[in-house]
Amino acid sequence: MMNDKLVFLGLLYFIQGIPYGLQSSLLPVYLRGAGHSLTRISLTKILYFPWVLKVLWAPLVDRTGTKRCWLVGTVAGLALTCLVSATISPDVQYMGVAGSLLAMNVLASVQDIAVDGAAVRLLRGQGELGLGNTVQVVGYKAGSVFAGGGLLAVIDVAGWGWMFALLACVYGGVALFVWGAPVLDGESARGQGEGRRGSKDVMQPWKVWRKLLSVPGTPWTMFYVLTYKLGEQGAITMFPLFLLDHHMTARELGVWNGVVAMAFSICGSSIGGFLLSQYSVGLLMRRVFMMRTVSMVFQSSLLVVLEPSPLMKGMAVLSLSLQHFIAGLITTLTFTTMMNCTQRAEESIQATHYSFLATLEVLGKLSFSALAGGMVDTVGFPIAFILFLFLTSSSALHVWRATETGVLKEQLKEQPQ
């Protein structure tokens, strides 16, 4: 039964990562090759906006219909969108490409709400939560790499139309799989009952928000997901640019920071799931956050070396690999903590609660990533990395205090099930 859950969740999170890979990696390269301006290409970032707004329609997904219906509907919608996209010529139909990607992001964000709600209900005990969240993180990253790397490698041969026709077949097959998935059997009656009880609350969103904020541990978790990656995101965004200025070519950086670093990130996420089956999430978070602080000290110390050398390049690769490994590990621990918090909520608002926390997590990462470049331009790499180190240390202290006196204290003693 557990394997069925993991396959079900892994497949859905894999296809959920495809739009991100298309938009972040494949589309910029393809559009630039087609002669579009950098301004036009950068404006495609606006199409991520449905992911920020998804918390607004999460109560509707929570309170009406079943998760199976929402999942089949959104995945089938993605298949149809890909079929339409296959008929578009990206060389001349820029707005058509933008409209297709916007539709994919809207559908994928709704799918995310439904699959997160299904995961909260399906996974029980810390062991299952750890494995489930590992599948979530790794599946999403794998889908992103498949779309942004794998399809980019073959698009010149297969062409735009055939690539989207292939994606339509993938989405269509997954829609049929979800329609018959036995792991969702038995939710229909419960979903209909909850839908009748909660239909009034959909029309009264303030009641939903009051319930969300009253869930035990929510205020601490909100602050945590907004801040836990601030320093890390600044370093992950800026350190490769420092290396590009002083030590590596763009091609070398693409290999080490793209392929190798992503492999270490996936490895860290996978090991996080295994560790959660052996140790409490509170204990792991306390130790891993201290490791991240030490890693940041090591990386910051490399900024004083400006002369290129094989030793410096090796130290930089080691720093990048360690940084992404720990980041992947922390991501799995964080999503497990978020799901632990969400499972304290009543079932009728669980998908909304988890989507709310996930939205805050995205906002925290993206907002600081956008500011990091201006910060480095203003004060320079060394001073900026001192701030990144301070934020990383503060996050470690925040987690340590929570394991001593706060919401993670019980989870520090809790044994995996």
PDB file of all heavy atoms in Angstrom, residues 343-366:
ATOM      1  N   GLN A 343      -1.565  18.592   9.295  1.00  0.00           N
ATOM      2  CA  GLN A 343      -2.364  17.460   9.754  1.00  0.00           C
ATOM      3  C   GLN A 343      -3.071  17.735  11.073  1.00  0.00           C
ATOM      4  O   GLN A 343      -3.955  16.979  11.484  1.00  0.00           O
ATOM      5  CB  GLN A 343      -1.486  16.212   9.868  1.00  0.00           C
ATOM      6  CG  GLN A 343      -1.099  15.642   8.513  1.00  0.00           C
ATOM      7  CD  GLN A 343      -0.352  14.325   8.607  1.00  0.00           C
ATOM      8  OE1 GLN A 343       0.281  14.020   9.614  1.00  0.00           O
ATOM      9  NE2 GLN A 343      -0.412  13.528   7.546  1.00  0.00           N
ATOM     10  N   ARG A 344      -2.720  18.826  11.750  1.00  0.00           N
ATOM     11  CA  ARG A 344      -3.435  19.226  12.965  1.00  0.00           C
ATOM     12  C   ARG A 344      -4.729  19.964  12.639  1.00  0.00           C
ATOM     13  O   ARG A 344      -5.556  20.182  13.518  1.00  0.00           O
ATOM     14  CB  ARG A 344      -2.547  20.116  13.833  1.00  0.00           C
ATOM     15  CG  ARG A 344      -1.251  19.459  14.285  1.00  0.00           C
ATOM     16  CD  ARG A 344      -0.461  20.391  15.194  1.00  0.00           C
ATOM     17  NE  ARG A 344       0.851  19.843  15.513  1.00  0.00           N
ATOM     18  CZ  ARG A 344       1.998  20.461  15.303  1.00  0.00           C
ATOM     19  NH1 ARG A 344       1.996  21.676  14.799  1.00  0.00           N
ATOM     20  NH2 ARG A 344       3.144  19.899  15.617  1.00  0.00           N
ATOM     21  N   ALA A 345      -4.872  20.406  11.382  1.00  0.00           N
ATOM     22  CA  ALA A 345      -6.083  21.113  10.967  1.00  0.00           C
ATOM     23  C   ALA A 345      -7.194  20.110  10.674  1.00  0.00           C
ATOM     24  O   ALA A 345      -6.947  18.934  10.413  1.00  0.00           O
ATOM     25  CB  ALA A 345      -5.799  21.960   9.724  1.00  0.00           C
ATOM     26  N   GLU A 346      -8.448  20.595  10.706  1.00  0.00           N
ATOM     27  CA  GLU A 346      -9.552  19.721  10.328  1.00  0.00           C
ATOM     28  C   GLU A 346      -9.459  19.415   8.835  1.00  0.00           C
ATOM     29  O   GLU A 346      -8.958  20.226   8.045  1.00  0.00           O
ATOM     30  CB  GLU A 346     -10.885  20.370  10.668  1.00  0.00           C
ATOM     31  CG  GLU A 346     -11.164  21.684   9.979  1.00  0.00           C
ATOM     32  CD  GLU A 346     -12.488  22.278  10.406  1.00  0.00           C
ATOM     33  OE1 GLU A 346     -12.600  22.718  11.567  1.00  0.00           O
ATOM     34  OE2 GLU A 346     -13.395  22.302   9.558  1.00  0.00           O
ATOM     35  N   GLU A 347      -9.942  18.252   8.429  1.00  0.00           N
ATOM     36  CA  GLU A 347      -9.736  17.780   7.062  1.00  0.00           C
ATOM     37  C   GLU A 347     -10.306  18.722   6.017  1.00  0.00           C
ATOM     38  O   GLU A 347      -9.791  18.815   4.901  1.00  0.00           O
ATOM     39  CB  GLU A 347     -10.342  16.383   6.893  1.00  0.00           C
ATOM     40  CG  GLU A 347      -9.536  15.281   7.564  1.00  0.00           C
ATOM     41  CD  GLU A 347      -9.942  13.903   7.091  1.00  0.00           C
ATOM     42  OE1 GLU A 347     -10.890  13.809   6.279  1.00  0.00           O
ATOM     43  OE2 GLU A 347      -9.307  12.926   7.518  1.00  0.00           O
ATOM     44  N   SER A 348     -11.354  19.450   6.353  1.00  0.00           N
ATOM     45  CA  SER A 348     -12.013  20.297   5.363  1.00  0.00           C
ATOM     46  C   SER A 348     -11.174  21.494   4.945  1.00  0.00           C
ATOM     47  O   SER A 348     -11.489  22.152   3.939  1.00  0.00           O
ATOM     48  CB  SER A 348     -13.358  20.789   5.905  1.00  0.00           C
ATOM     49  OG  SER A 348     -13.168  21.560   7.084  1.00  0.00           O
ATOM     50  N   ILE A 349     -10.099  21.816   5.689  1.00  0.00           N
ATOM     51  CA  ILE A 349      -9.260  22.957   5.308  1.00  0.00           C
ATOM     52  C   ILE A 349      -7.789  22.558   5.138  1.00  0.00           C
ATOM     53  O   ILE A 349      -6.925  23.423   5.006  1.00  0.00           O
ATOM     54  CB  ILE A 349      -9.348  24.099   6.341  1.00  0.00           C
ATOM     55  CG1 ILE A 349      -8.823  23.631   7.716  1.00  0.00           C
ATOM     56  CG2 ILE A 349     -10.755  24.650   6.443  1.00  0.00           C
ATOM     57  CD1 ILE A 349      -8.583  24.769   8.692  1.00  0.00           C
ATOM     58  N   GLN A 350      -7.495  21.272   5.116  1.00  0.00           N
ATOM     59  CA  GLN A 350      -6.094  20.846   5.092  1.00  0.00           C
ATOM     60  C   GLN A 350      -5.373  21.259   3.807  1.00  0.00           C
ATOM     61  O   GLN A 350      -4.239  21.734   3.855  1.00  0.00           O
ATOM     62  CB  GLN A 350      -5.999  19.333   5.295  1.00  0.00           C
ATOM     63  CG  GLN A 350      -6.201  18.924   6.751  1.00  0.00           C
ATOM     64  CD  GLN A 350      -6.044  17.436   6.967  1.00  0.00           C
ATOM     65  OE1 GLN A 350      -6.056  16.646   6.023  1.00  0.00           O
ATOM     66  NE2 GLN A 350      -5.894  17.035   8.213  1.00  0.00           N
ATOM     67  N   ALA A 351      -5.998  21.091   2.653  1.00  0.00           N
ATOM     68  CA  ALA A 351      -5.341  21.478   1.402  1.00  0.00           C
ATOM     69  C   ALA A 351      -5.117  22.985   1.358  1.00  0.00           C
ATOM     70  O   ALA A 351      -4.069  23.463   0.896  1.00  0.00           O
ATOM     71  CB  ALA A 351      -6.174  21.036   0.201  1.00  0.00           C
ATOM     72  N   THR A 352      -6.091  23.756   1.860  1.00  0.00           N
ATOM     73  CA  THR A 352      -5.942  25.210   1.910  1.00  0.00           C
ATOM     74  C   THR A 352      -4.807  25.597   2.849  1.00  0.00           C
ATOM     75  O   THR A 352      -3.998  26.484   2.531  1.00  0.00           O
ATOM     76  CB  THR A 352      -7.251  25.859   2.389  1.00  0.00           C
ATOM     77  OG1 THR A 352      -8.309  25.468   1.521  1.00  0.00           O
ATOM     78  CG2 THR A 352      -7.138  27.375   2.406  1.00  0.00           C
ATOM     79  N   HIS A 353      -4.739  24.957   3.993  1.00  0.00           N
ATOM     80  CA  HIS A 353      -3.694  25.259   4.969  1.00  0.00           C
ATOM     81  C   HIS A 353      -2.308  24.981   4.388  1.00  0.00           C
ATOM     82  O   HIS A 353      -1.394  25.816   4.479  1.00  0.00           O
ATOM     83  CB  HIS A 353      -3.919  24.428   6.239  1.00  0.00           C
ATOM     84  CG  HIS A 353      -3.006  24.750   7.367  1.00  0.00           C
ATOM     85  ND1 HIS A 353      -1.746  24.194   7.491  1.00  0.00           N
ATOM     86  CD2 HIS A 353      -3.145  25.579   8.433  1.00  0.00           C
ATOM     87  CE1 HIS A 353      -1.165  24.655   8.585  1.00  0.00           C
ATOM     88  NE2 HIS A 353      -1.991  25.498   9.175  1.00  0.00           N
ATOM     89  N   TYR A 354      -2.148  23.820   3.757  1.00  0.00           N
ATOM     90  CA  TYR A 354      -0.848  23.466   3.203  1.00  0.00           C
ATOM     91  C   TYR A 354      -0.479  24.384   2.036  1.00  0.00           C
ATOM     92  O   TYR A 354       0.676  24.800   1.899  1.00  0.00           O
ATOM     93  CB  TYR A 354      -0.856  22.005   2.739  1.00  0.00           C
ATOM     94  CG  TYR A 354       0.517  21.478   2.416  1.00  0.00           C
ATOM     95  CD1 TYR A 354       1.357  21.020   3.421  1.00  0.00           C
ATOM     96  CD2 TYR A 354       0.977  21.449   1.104  1.00  0.00           C
ATOM     97  CE1 TYR A 354       2.623  20.543   3.134  1.00  0.00           C
ATOM     98  CE2 TYR A 354       2.241  20.972   0.813  1.00  0.00           C
ATOM     99  CZ  TYR A 354       3.054  20.517   1.827  1.00  0.00           C
ATOM    100  OH  TYR A 354       4.312  20.054   1.526  1.00  0.00           O
ATOM    101  N   SER A 355      -1.460  24.726   1.195  1.00  0.00           N
ATOM    102  CA  SER A 355      -1.199  25.642   0.084  1.00  0.00           C
ATOM    103  C   SER A 355      -0.789  27.017   0.591  1.00  0.00           C
ATOM    104  O   SER A 355       0.069  27.684  -0.007  1.00  0.00           O
ATOM    105  CB  SER A 355      -2.445  25.767  -0.799  1.00  0.00           C
ATOM    106  OG  SER A 355      -2.738  24.548  -1.441  1.00  0.00           O
ATOM    107  N   PHE A 356      -1.390  27.456   1.684  1.00  0.00           N
ATOM    108  CA  PHE A 356      -1.035  28.738   2.292  1.00  0.00           C
ATOM    109  C   PHE A 356       0.424  28.731   2.735  1.00  0.00           C
ATOM    110  O   PHE A 356       1.189  29.656   2.435  1.00  0.00           O
ATOM    111  CB  PHE A 356      -1.963  29.000   3.481  1.00  0.00           C
ATOM    112  CG  PHE A 356      -1.609  30.208   4.294  1.00  0.00           C
ATOM    113  CD1 PHE A 356      -1.515  31.463   3.708  1.00  0.00           C
ATOM    114  CD2 PHE A 356      -1.376  30.099   5.658  1.00  0.00           C
ATOM    115  CE1 PHE A 356      -1.200  32.584   4.471  1.00  0.00           C
ATOM    116  CE2 PHE A 356      -1.056  31.206   6.420  1.00  0.00           C
ATOM    117  CZ  PHE A 356      -0.965  32.454   5.821  1.00  0.00           C
ATOM    118  N   LEU A 357       0.845  27.670   3.431  1.00  0.00           N
ATOM    119  CA  LEU A 357       2.241  27.574   3.879  1.00  0.00           C
ATOM    120  C   LEU A 357       3.186  27.476   2.675  1.00  0.00           C
ATOM    121  O   LEU A 357       4.260  28.093   2.667  1.00  0.00           O
ATOM    122  CB  LEU A 357       2.413  26.359   4.790  1.00  0.00           C
ATOM    123  CG  LEU A 357       1.684  26.389   6.129  1.00  0.00           C
ATOM    124  CD1 LEU A 357       1.939  25.089   6.900  1.00  0.00           C
ATOM    125  CD2 LEU A 357       2.118  27.586   6.972  1.00  0.00           C
ATOM    126  N   ALA A 358       2.800  26.711   1.654  1.00  0.00           N
ATOM    127  CA  ALA A 358       3.655  26.565   0.472  1.00  0.00           C
ATOM    128  C   ALA A 358       3.796  27.885  -0.278  1.00  0.00           C
ATOM    129  O   ALA A 358       4.876  28.189  -0.808  1.00  0.00           O
ATOM    130  CB  ALA A 358       3.080  25.492  -0.455  1.00  0.00           C
ATOM    131  N   THR A 359       2.736  28.685  -0.310  1.00  0.00           N
ATOM    132  CA  THR A 359       2.807  29.995  -0.952  1.00  0.00           C
ATOM    133  C   THR A 359       3.774  30.908  -0.217  1.00  0.00           C
ATOM    134  O   THR A 359       4.575  31.627  -0.837  1.00  0.00           O
ATOM    135  CB  THR A 359       1.412  30.639  -1.005  1.00  0.00           C
ATOM    136  OG1 THR A 359       0.534  29.799  -1.767  1.00  0.00           O
ATOM    137  CG2 THR A 359       1.467  32.018  -1.649  1.00  0.00           C
ATOM    138  N   LEU A 360       3.720  30.905   1.105  1.00  0.00           N
ATOM    139  CA  LEU A 360       4.651  31.702   1.899  1.00  0.00           C
ATOM    140  C   LEU A 360       6.088  31.240   1.663  1.00  0.00           C
ATOM    141  O   LEU A 360       7.011  32.063   1.594  1.00  0.00           O
ATOM    142  CB  LEU A 360       4.309  31.606   3.388  1.00  0.00           C
ATOM    143  CG  LEU A 360       2.987  32.229   3.836  1.00  0.00           C
ATOM    144  CD1 LEU A 360       2.800  32.034   5.337  1.00  0.00           C
ATOM    145  CD2 LEU A 360       2.936  33.712   3.485  1.00  0.00           C
ATOM    146  N   GLU A 361       6.289  29.929   1.524  1.00  0.00           N
ATOM    147  CA  GLU A 361       7.633  29.392   1.283  1.00  0.00           C
ATOM    148  C   GLU A 361       8.195  29.904  -0.031  1.00  0.00           C
ATOM    149  O   GLU A 361       9.358  30.319  -0.120  1.00  0.00           O
ATOM    150  CB  GLU A 361       7.560  27.856   1.292  1.00  0.00           C
ATOM    151  CG  GLU A 361       8.895  27.169   1.513  1.00  0.00           C
ATOM    152  CD  GLU A 361       9.526  26.696   0.208  1.00  0.00           C
ATOM    153  OE1 GLU A 361       8.850  26.767  -0.830  1.00  0.00           O
ATOM    154  OE2 GLU A 361      10.680  26.258   0.246  1.00  0.00           O
ATOM    155  N   VAL A 362       7.358  29.923  -1.075  1.00  0.00           N
ATOM    156  CA  VAL A 362       7.782  30.433  -2.385  1.00  0.00           C
ATOM    157  C   VAL A 362       8.067  31.924  -2.316  1.00  0.00           C
ATOM    158  O   VAL A 362       9.074  32.413  -2.855  1.00  0.00           O
ATOM    159  CB  VAL A 362       6.711  30.127  -3.453  1.00  0.00           C
ATOM    160  CG1 VAL A 362       7.029  30.840  -4.753  1.00  0.00           C
ATOM    161  CG2 VAL A 362       6.605  28.626  -3.691  1.00  0.00           C
ATOM    162  N   LEU A 363       7.201  32.673  -1.642  1.00  0.00           N
ATOM    163  CA  LEU A 363       7.384  34.119  -1.525  1.00  0.00           C
ATOM    164  C   LEU A 363       8.686  34.464  -0.824  1.00  0.00           C
ATOM    165  O   LEU A 363       9.410  35.379  -1.232  1.00  0.00           O
ATOM    166  CB  LEU A 363       6.205  34.735  -0.768  1.00  0.00           C
ATOM    167  CG  LEU A 363       4.921  34.974  -1.555  1.00  0.00           C
ATOM    168  CD1 LEU A 363       3.821  35.479  -0.635  1.00  0.00           C
ATOM    169  CD2 LEU A 363       5.160  35.961  -2.686  1.00  0.00           C
ATOM    170  N   GLY A 364       9.000  33.732   0.255  1.00  0.00           N
ATOM    171  CA  GLY A 364      10.234  33.995   0.987  1.00  0.00           C
ATOM    172  C   GLY A 364      11.463  33.791   0.128  1.00  0.00           C
ATOM    173  O   GLY A 364      12.390  34.608   0.137  1.00  0.00           O
ATOM    174  N   LYS A 365      11.475  32.719  -0.663  1.00  0.00           N
ATOM    175  CA  LYS A 365      12.632  32.426  -1.516  1.00  0.00           C
ATOM    176  C   LYS A 365      12.753  33.409  -2.680  1.00  0.00           C
ATOM    177  O   LYS A 365      13.829  33.945  -2.936  1.00  0.00           O
ATOM    178  CB  LYS A 365      12.536  30.992  -2.050  1.00  0.00           C
ATOM    179  CG  LYS A 365      12.713  29.916  -0.996  1.00  0.00           C
ATOM    180  CD  LYS A 365      12.846  28.546  -1.611  1.00  0.00           C
ATOM    181  CE  LYS A 365      11.617  28.112  -2.338  1.00  0.00           C
ATOM    182  NZ  LYS A 365      11.693  26.704  -2.772  1.00  0.00           N
ATOM    183  N   LEU A 366      11.653  33.644  -3.368  1.00  0.00           N
ATOM    184  CA  LEU A 366      11.719  34.473  -4.563  1.00  0.00           C
ATOM    185  C   LEU A 366      12.003  35.936  -4.244  1.00  0.00           C
ATOM    186  O   LEU A 366      12.745  36.606  -4.967  1.00  0.00           O
ATOM    187  CB  LEU A 366      10.406  34.358  -5.348  1.00  0.00           C
ATOM    188  CG  LEU A 366      10.126  33.018  -6.020  1.00  0.00           C
ATOM    189  CD1 LEU A 366       8.817  33.083  -6.802  1.00  0.00           C
ATOM    190  CD2 LEU A 366      11.264  32.609  -6.944  1.00  0.00           C
TER     191      LEU A 366
END
